[in-house]
mmCIF file of all heavy atoms in Angstrom:
data_model
loop_
_atom_site.group_PDB
_atom_site.id
_atom_site.type_symbol
_atom_site.label_atom_id
_atom_site.label_comp_id
_atom_site.label_asym_id
_atom_site.label_seq_id
_atom_site.Cartn_x
_atom_site.Cartn_y
_atom_site.Cartn_z
ATOM 1 N N THR G 14 1.625 16.238 24.147
ATOM 2 C CA THR G 14 2.969 15.806 23.940
ATOM 3 C C THR G 14 3.265 14.450 24.725
ATOM 4 O O THR G 14 2.540 14.120 25.582
ATOM 5 C CB THR G 14 4.030 16.890 24.513
ATOM 6 O OG1 THR G 14 3.769 17.074 25.931
ATOM 7 C CG2 THR G 14 3.880 18.147 23.783
ATOM 8 N N ALA G 15 4.255 13.763 24.281
ATOM 9 C CA ALA G 15 4.746 12.564 24.869
ATOM 10 C C ALA G 15 6.236 12.829 25.067
ATOM 11 O O ALA G 15 6.947 13.432 24.227
ATOM 12 C CB ALA G 15 4.506 11.389 24.089
ATOM 13 N N LYS G 16 6.629 12.533 26.314
ATOM 14 C CA LYS G 16 8.034 12.679 26.635
ATOM 15 C C LYS G 16 8.877 11.396 26.393
ATOM 16 O O LYS G 16 8.253 10.372 26.337
ATOM 17 C CB LYS G 16 8.120 13.112 28.099
ATOM 18 C CG LYS G 16 7.613 14.549 28.240
ATOM 19 C CD LYS G 16 7.726 14.919 29.816
ATOM 20 C CE LYS G 16 7.280 16.304 30.043
ATOM 21 N NZ LYS G 16 5.894 16.452 29.964
ATOM 22 N N GLU G 17 10.122 11.544 26.245
ATOM 23 C CA GLU G 17 10.967 10.313 26.149
ATOM 24 C C GLU G 17 10.784 9.312 27.274
ATOM 25 O O GLU G 17 10.618 9.723 28.441
ATOM 26 C CB GLU G 17 12.487 10.781 26.123
ATOM 27 C CG GLU G 17 13.467 9.716 25.807
ATOM 28 C CD GLU G 17 14.904 10.118 25.721
ATOM 29 O OE1 GLU G 17 15.160 11.411 25.772
ATOM 30 O OE2 GLU G 17 15.753 9.320 25.550
ATOM 31 N N ASN G 18 10.663 8.062 26.928
ATOM 32 C CA ASN G 18 10.417 7.012 27.878
ATOM 33 C C ASN G 18 8.968 6.834 28.322
ATOM 34 O O ASN G 18 8.658 6.031 29.012
ATOM 35 C CB ASN G 18 11.292 7.024 29.066
ATOM 36 C CG ASN G 18 12.745 6.910 28.679
ATOM 37 O OD1 ASN G 18 13.167 6.096 27.895
ATOM 38 N ND2 ASN G 18 13.675 7.603 29.290
ATOM 39 N N ASP G 19 7.929 7.785 27.851
ATOM 40 C CA ASP G 19 6.590 7.595 28.099
ATOM 41 C C ASP G 19 6.169 6.337 27.383
ATOM 42 O O ASP G 19 6.514 6.079 26.232
ATOM 43 C CB ASP G 19 5.813 8.688 27.672
ATOM 44 C CG ASP G 19 5.794 9.961 28.572
ATOM 45 O OD1 ASP G 19 6.451 9.900 29.642
ATOM 46 O OD2 ASP G 19 5.264 11.012 28.172
ATOM 47 N N ILE G 20 5.219 5.657 28.079
ATOM 48 C CA ILE G 20 4.612 4.474 27.326
ATOM 49 C C ILE G 20 3.310 5.050 26.709
ATOM 50 O O ILE G 20 2.612 5.721 27.335
ATOM 51 C CB ILE G 20 4.230 3.382 28.282
ATOM 52 C CG1 ILE G 20 5.491 2.847 28.925
ATOM 53 C CG2 ILE G 20 3.384 2.301 27.723
ATOM 54 C CD1 ILE G 20 5.265 1.881 30.100
ATOM 55 N N ILE G 21 3.217 4.753 25.347
ATOM 56 C CA ILE G 21 2.078 5.283 24.615
ATOM 57 C C ILE G 21 1.326 4.112 23.937
ATOM 58 O O ILE G 21 1.972 2.994 23.870
ATOM 59 C CB ILE G 21 2.444 6.334 23.583
ATOM 60 C CG1 ILE G 21 3.401 5.755 22.637
ATOM 61 C CG2 ILE G 21 2.930 7.639 24.273
ATOM 62 C CD1 ILE G 21 3.758 6.691 21.471
ATOM 63 N N MET G 22 0.129 4.196 23.636
ATOM 64 C CA MET G 22 -0.612 3.107 22.855
ATOM 65 C C MET G 22 -1.120 3.673 21.641
ATOM 66 O O MET G 22 -1.631 4.863 21.578
ATOM 67 C CB MET G 22 -1.853 2.767 23.731
ATOM 68 C CG MET G 22 -1.458 2.070 25.005
ATOM 69 S SD MET G 22 -2.899 1.391 26.021
ATOM 70 C CE MET G 22 -4.287 2.065 25.281
ATOM 71 N N ALA G 23 -1.149 2.938 20.651
ATOM 72 C CA ALA G 23 -1.691 3.356 19.274
ATOM 73 C C ALA G 23 -2.824 2.346 18.953
ATOM 74 O O ALA G 23 -2.801 1.144 19.086
ATOM 75 C CB ALA G 23 -0.615 3.200 18.124
ATOM 76 N N GLU G 24 -3.963 2.949 18.633
ATOM 77 C CA GLU G 24 -5.056 2.175 18.240
ATOM 78 C C GLU G 24 -5.471 2.609 16.840
ATOM 79 O O GLU G 24 -5.765 3.767 16.510
ATOM 80 C CB GLU G 24 -6.365 2.450 19.223
ATOM 81 C CG GLU G 24 -6.103 2.010 20.484
ATOM 82 C CD GLU G 24 -7.324 2.238 21.444
ATOM 83 O OE1 GLU G 24 -8.199 3.008 20.955
ATOM 84 O OE2 GLU G 24 -7.250 1.781 22.553
ATOM 85 N N THR G 25 -5.490 1.550 15.972
ATOM 86 C CA THR G 25 -5.795 1.853 14.600
ATOM 87 C C THR G 25 -7.087 1.077 14.157
ATOM 88 O O THR G 25 -7.257 -0.077 14.553
ATOM 89 C CB THR G 25 -4.634 1.364 13.550
ATOM 90 O OG1 THR G 25 -3.518 2.058 14.076
ATOM 91 C CG2 THR G 25 -4.913 1.616 12.161
ATOM 92 N N LYS G 26 -7.894 1.648 13.340
ATOM 93 C CA LYS G 26 -9.048 0.941 12.757
ATOM 94 C C LYS G 26 -9.274 1.349 11.334
ATOM 95 O O LYS G 26 -9.033 2.496 10.926
ATOM 96 C CB LYS G 26 -10.268 1.248 13.756
ATOM 97 C CG LYS G 26 -10.737 2.686 13.656
ATOM 98 C CD LYS G 26 -12.067 2.744 14.572
ATOM 99 C CE LYS G 26 -12.376 4.169 14.685
ATOM 100 N NZ LYS G 26 -13.537 4.329 15.626
ATOM 101 N N ILE G 27 -9.861 0.415 10.582
ATOM 102 C CA ILE G 27 -10.025 0.574 9.192
ATOM 103 C C ILE G 27 -11.492 1.215 9.188
ATOM 104 O O ILE G 27 -12.446 0.596 9.689
ATOM 105 C CB ILE G 27 -10.067 -0.789 8.454
ATOM 106 C CG1 ILE G 27 -8.653 -1.314 8.457
ATOM 107 C CG2 ILE G 27 -10.493 -0.496 6.979
ATOM 108 C CD1 ILE G 27 -7.530 -0.545 7.886
ATOM 109 N N ILE G 28 -11.649 2.381 8.618
ATOM 110 C CA ILE G 28 -12.962 2.932 8.496
ATOM 111 C C ILE G 28 -13.680 2.487 7.320
ATOM 112 O O ILE G 28 -14.904 2.109 7.327
ATOM 113 C CB ILE G 28 -12.814 4.567 8.310
ATOM 114 C CG1 ILE G 28 -12.019 5.126 9.526
ATOM 115 C CG2 ILE G 28 -14.158 5.235 8.203
ATOM 116 C CD1 ILE G 28 -12.532 4.811 10.898
ATOM 117 N N LYS G 29 -13.050 2.345 6.188
ATOM 118 C CA LYS G 29 -13.634 1.711 4.915
ATOM 119 C C LYS G 29 -12.566 1.048 4.109
ATOM 120 O O LYS G 29 -11.492 1.501 3.949
ATOM 121 C CB LYS G 29 -14.263 2.862 4.065
ATOM 122 C CG LYS G 29 -14.935 2.307 2.909
ATOM 123 C CD LYS G 29 -15.769 3.231 2.096
ATOM 124 C CE LYS G 29 -16.547 2.627 1.075
ATOM 125 N NZ LYS G 29 -16.710 2.841 -0.137
ATOM 126 N N ARG G 30 -12.914 -0.174 3.696
ATOM 127 C CA ARG G 30 -12.049 -0.984 2.886
ATOM 128 C C ARG G 30 -12.661 -1.149 1.515
ATOM 129 O O ARG G 30 -13.713 -1.903 1.440
ATOM 130 C CB ARG G 30 -11.670 -2.283 3.565
ATOM 131 C CG ARG G 30 -10.636 -3.116 2.855
ATOM 132 C CD ARG G 30 -10.482 -4.469 3.544
ATOM 133 N NE ARG G 30 -10.372 -4.411 4.904
ATOM 134 C CZ ARG G 30 -9.195 -4.529 5.630
ATOM 135 N NH1 ARG G 30 -8.057 -4.674 4.877
ATOM 136 N NH2 ARG G 30 -9.140 -4.475 6.869
ATOM 137 N N GLY G 31 -12.105 -0.661 0.463
ATOM 138 C CA GLY G 31 -12.610 -0.780 -0.857
ATOM 139 C C GLY G 31 -11.687 -1.753 -1.638
ATOM 140 O O GLY G 31 -10.716 -2.307 -1.106
ATOM 141 N N LYS G 32 -12.002 -1.983 -2.948
ATOM 142 C CA LYS G 32 -11.107 -2.840 -3.706
ATOM 143 C C LYS G 32 -9.817 -2.210 -3.944
ATOM 144 O O LYS G 32 -8.847 -2.956 -4.001
ATOM 145 C CB LYS G 32 -11.730 -3.061 -5.083
ATOM 146 C CG LYS G 32 -13.036 -3.932 -4.946
ATOM 147 C CD LYS G 32 -13.517 -4.192 -6.408
ATOM 148 C CE LYS G 32 -14.789 -5.120 -6.292
ATOM 149 N NZ LYS G 32 -15.268 -5.487 -7.641
ATOM 150 N N GLN G 33 -9.653 -0.908 -4.118
ATOM 151 C CA GLN G 33 -8.398 -0.330 -4.303
ATOM 152 C C GLN G 33 -7.896 0.630 -3.218
ATOM 153 O O GLN G 33 -6.701 0.807 -3.045
ATOM 154 C CB GLN G 33 -8.393 0.403 -5.645
ATOM 155 C CG GLN G 33 -8.463 -0.452 -6.856
ATOM 156 C CD GLN G 33 -8.342 0.345 -8.050
ATOM 157 O OE1 GLN G 33 -9.072 1.320 -8.262
ATOM 158 N NE2 GLN G 33 -7.498 -0.016 -8.920
ATOM 159 N N PHE G 34 -8.893 1.195 -2.498
ATOM 160 C CA PHE G 34 -8.557 2.194 -1.461
ATOM 161 C C PHE G 34 -9.002 1.768 -0.119
ATOM 162 O O PHE G 34 -9.959 1.025 0.057
ATOM 163 C CB PHE G 34 -9.222 3.608 -1.799
ATOM 164 C CG PHE G 34 -8.609 4.259 -2.969
ATOM 165 C CD1 PHE G 34 -9.089 4.053 -4.230
ATOM 166 C CD2 PHE G 34 -7.563 5.021 -2.951
ATOM 167 C CE1 PHE G 34 -8.624 4.637 -5.343
ATOM 168 C CE2 PHE G 34 -6.980 5.602 -4.033
ATOM 169 C CZ PHE G 34 -7.564 5.409 -5.237
ATOM 170 N N VAL G 35 -8.225 2.144 0.937
ATOM 171 C CA VAL G 35 -8.495 1.940 2.324
ATOM 172 C C VAL G 35 -8.475 3.205 3.077
ATOM 173 O O VAL G 35 -7.496 4.058 2.900
ATOM 174 C CB VAL G 35 -7.471 0.927 2.941
ATOM 175 C CG1 VAL G 35 -7.698 0.832 4.450
ATOM 176 C CG2 VAL G 35 -7.563 -0.359 2.265
ATOM 177 N N ASN G 36 -9.494 3.517 3.904
ATOM 178 C CA ASN G 36 -9.425 4.706 4.770
ATOM 179 C C ASN G 36 -9.132 4.239 6.170
ATOM 180 O O ASN G 36 -10.029 3.362 6.720
ATOM 181 C CB ASN G 36 -10.730 5.454 4.579
ATOM 182 C CG ASN G 36 -10.742 6.707 5.533
ATOM 183 O OD1 ASN G 36 -11.140 6.616 6.666
ATOM 184 N ND2 ASN G 36 -10.108 7.830 5.169
ATOM 185 N N ALA G 37 -8.096 4.650 6.885
ATOM 186 C CA ALA G 37 -7.836 4.239 8.238
ATOM 187 C C ALA G 37 -7.697 5.500 9.162
ATOM 188 O O ALA G 37 -7.391 6.568 8.645
ATOM 189 C CB ALA G 37 -6.502 3.413 8.143
ATOM 190 N N GLU G 38 -7.904 5.082 10.437
ATOM 191 C CA GLU G 38 -7.778 6.196 11.544
ATOM 192 C C GLU G 38 -6.842 5.500 12.605
ATOM 193 O O GLU G 38 -6.934 4.318 12.848
ATOM 194 C CB GLU G 38 -9.187 6.492 11.962
ATOM 195 C CG GLU G 38 -9.296 7.468 13.249
ATOM 196 C CD GLU G 38 -10.585 7.757 13.578
ATOM 197 O OE1 GLU G 38 -11.229 8.589 13.059
ATOM 198 O OE2 GLU G 38 -11.034 7.091 14.568
ATOM 199 N N CYS G 39 -6.081 6.455 13.193
ATOM 200 C CA CYS G 39 -5.179 6.034 14.281
ATOM 201 C C CYS G 39 -5.211 7.006 15.345
ATOM 202 O O CYS G 39 -5.197 8.227 15.129
ATOM 203 C CB CYS G 39 -3.747 5.795 13.813
ATOM 204 S SG CYS G 39 -2.609 5.258 15.049
ATOM 205 N N GLU G 40 -5.370 6.472 16.604
ATOM 206 C CA GLU G 40 -5.245 7.429 17.791
ATOM 207 C C GLU G 40 -4.100 7.018 18.649
ATOM 208 O O GLU G 40 -3.861 5.790 18.902
ATOM 209 C CB GLU G 40 -6.597 7.319 18.626
ATOM 210 C CG GLU G 40 -7.750 7.877 17.893
ATOM 211 C CD GLU G 40 -9.071 7.857 18.797
ATOM 212 O OE1 GLU G 40 -9.078 7.090 19.698
ATOM 213 O OE2 GLU G 40 -9.992 8.640 18.445
ATOM 214 N N ILE G 41 -3.237 7.999 19.073
ATOM 215 C CA ILE G 41 -2.185 7.797 20.018
ATOM 216 C C ILE G 41 -2.572 8.181 21.411
ATOM 217 O O ILE G 41 -2.930 9.433 21.520
ATOM 218 C CB ILE G 41 -0.963 8.512 19.491
ATOM 219 C CG1 ILE G 41 -0.588 8.226 18.036
ATOM 220 C CG2 ILE G 41 0.289 8.159 20.462
ATOM 221 C CD1 ILE G 41 -0.292 6.749 17.723
ATOM 222 N N TRP G 42 -2.469 7.391 22.319
ATOM 223 C CA TRP G 42 -2.942 7.752 23.768
ATOM 224 C C TRP G 42 -1.837 7.465 24.705
ATOM 225 O O TRP G 42 -0.913 6.719 24.452
ATOM 226 C CB TRP G 42 -4.048 6.846 24.245
ATOM 227 C CG TRP G 42 -5.328 7.160 23.545
ATOM 228 C CD1 TRP G 42 -5.738 6.487 22.271
ATOM 229 C CD2 TRP G 42 -6.406 7.884 23.958
ATOM 230 N NE1 TRP G 42 -7.073 6.996 21.978
ATOM 231 C CE2 TRP G 42 -7.436 7.685 22.971
ATOM 232 C CE3 TRP G 42 -6.652 8.604 25.070
ATOM 233 C CZ2 TRP G 42 -8.642 8.389 23.088
ATOM 234 C CZ3 TRP G 42 -7.853 9.345 25.170
ATOM 235 C CH2 TRP G 42 -8.861 9.256 24.215
ATOM 236 N N ASN G 43 -1.803 8.137 25.879
ATOM 237 C CA ASN G 43 -0.939 7.915 26.959
ATOM 238 C C ASN G 43 -1.219 6.556 27.553
ATOM 239 O O ASN G 43 -2.235 5.879 27.187
ATOM 240 C CB ASN G 43 -0.936 8.967 28.074
ATOM 241 C CG ASN G 43 -2.110 9.043 28.811
ATOM 242 O OD1 ASN G 43 -3.246 8.627 28.259
ATOM 243 N ND2 ASN G 43 -2.108 9.488 29.970
ATOM 244 N N ALA G 44 -0.504 5.818 28.445
ATOM 245 C CA ALA G 44 -0.660 4.554 28.808
ATOM 246 C C ALA G 44 -1.975 4.164 29.474
ATOM 247 O O ALA G 44 -2.461 3.233 29.237
ATOM 248 C CB ALA G 44 0.470 4.149 29.731
ATOM 249 N N ASP G 45 -2.527 5.116 30.328
ATOM 250 C CA ASP G 45 -3.770 4.844 30.945
ATOM 251 C C ASP G 45 -4.908 5.370 30.278
ATOM 252 O O ASP G 45 -6.106 5.437 30.786
ATOM 253 C CB ASP G 45 -3.796 5.293 32.430
ATOM 254 C CG ASP G 45 -3.419 6.867 32.477
ATOM 255 O OD1 ASP G 45 -3.379 7.478 31.506
ATOM 256 O OD2 ASP G 45 -3.430 7.372 33.761
ATOM 257 N N LYS G 46 -4.791 5.865 29.018
ATOM 258 C CA LYS G 46 -5.842 6.351 28.118
ATOM 259 C C LYS G 46 -6.598 7.516 28.685
ATOM 260 O O LYS G 46 -7.882 7.653 28.438
ATOM 261 C CB LYS G 46 -6.857 5.180 27.781
ATOM 262 C CG LYS G 46 -6.556 4.766 26.356
ATOM 263 C CD LYS G 46 -7.663 3.786 25.857
ATOM 264 C CE LYS G 46 -8.223 4.307 24.713
ATOM 265 N NZ LYS G 46 -9.262 3.427 24.125
ATOM 266 N N THR G 47 -5.931 8.350 29.406
ATOM 267 C CA THR G 47 -6.558 9.649 29.895
ATOM 268 C C THR G 47 -6.258 10.832 29.145
ATOM 269 O O THR G 47 -6.887 11.930 29.304
ATOM 270 C CB THR G 47 -6.112 9.840 31.455
ATOM 271 O OG1 THR G 47 -4.605 10.000 31.408
ATOM 272 C CG2 THR G 47 -6.603 8.709 32.317
ATOM 273 N N ARG G 48 -5.285 10.708 28.209
ATOM 274 C CA ARG G 48 -4.941 11.820 27.457
ATOM 275 C C ARG G 48 -4.586 11.382 25.899
ATOM 276 O O ARG G 48 -3.787 10.581 25.716
ATOM 277 C CB ARG G 48 -3.597 12.349 27.948
ATOM 278 C CG ARG G 48 -3.084 13.662 27.249
ATOM 279 C CD ARG G 48 -1.943 14.323 28.090
ATOM 280 N NE ARG G 48 -1.014 13.411 28.725
ATOM 281 C CZ ARG G 48 0.160 13.073 28.240
ATOM 282 N NH1 ARG G 48 0.512 13.509 26.994
ATOM 283 N NH2 ARG G 48 0.893 12.227 28.887
ATOM 284 N N LEU G 49 -5.369 11.933 25.044
ATOM 285 C CA LEU G 49 -5.188 11.820 23.637
ATOM 286 C C LEU G 49 -4.131 12.609 23.129
ATOM 287 O O LEU G 49 -4.101 13.807 23.289
ATOM 288 C CB LEU G 49 -6.560 12.162 22.911
ATOM 289 C CG LEU G 49 -6.348 11.979 21.322
ATOM 290 C CD1 LEU G 49 -6.132 10.463 20.908
ATOM 291 C CD2 LEU G 49 -7.748 12.403 20.717
ATOM 292 N N ILE G 50 -3.042 12.005 22.623
ATOM 293 C CA ILE G 50 -1.814 12.705 22.102
ATOM 294 C C ILE G 50 -2.027 13.149 20.687
ATOM 295 O O ILE G 50 -1.699 14.310 20.347
ATOM 296 C CB ILE G 50 -0.562 11.906 22.301
ATOM 297 C CG1 ILE G 50 -0.374 11.528 23.816
ATOM 298 C CG2 ILE G 50 0.688 12.482 21.680
ATOM 299 C CD1 ILE G 50 0.619 10.448 24.169
#
Side-chain angles (χ1 to χ4, degrees):
T14 60
K16 295 180 176 68
E17 187 174 352
N18 297 321
D19 280 356
I20 295 172
I21 59 172
M22 295 186 344
E24 295 181 353
T25 303
K26 63 181 174 180
I27 302 299
I28 305 301
K29 182 170 191 230
R30 184 186 313 261
K32 288 184 179 182
Q33 291 185 307
F34 290 94
V35 173
N36 179 267
E38 179 180 271
C39 181
E40 293 181 340
I41 308 295
W42 292 86
N43 64 335
D45 59 1
K46 254 190 124 178
T47 57
R48 184 169 38 94
L49 179 61
I50 296 169

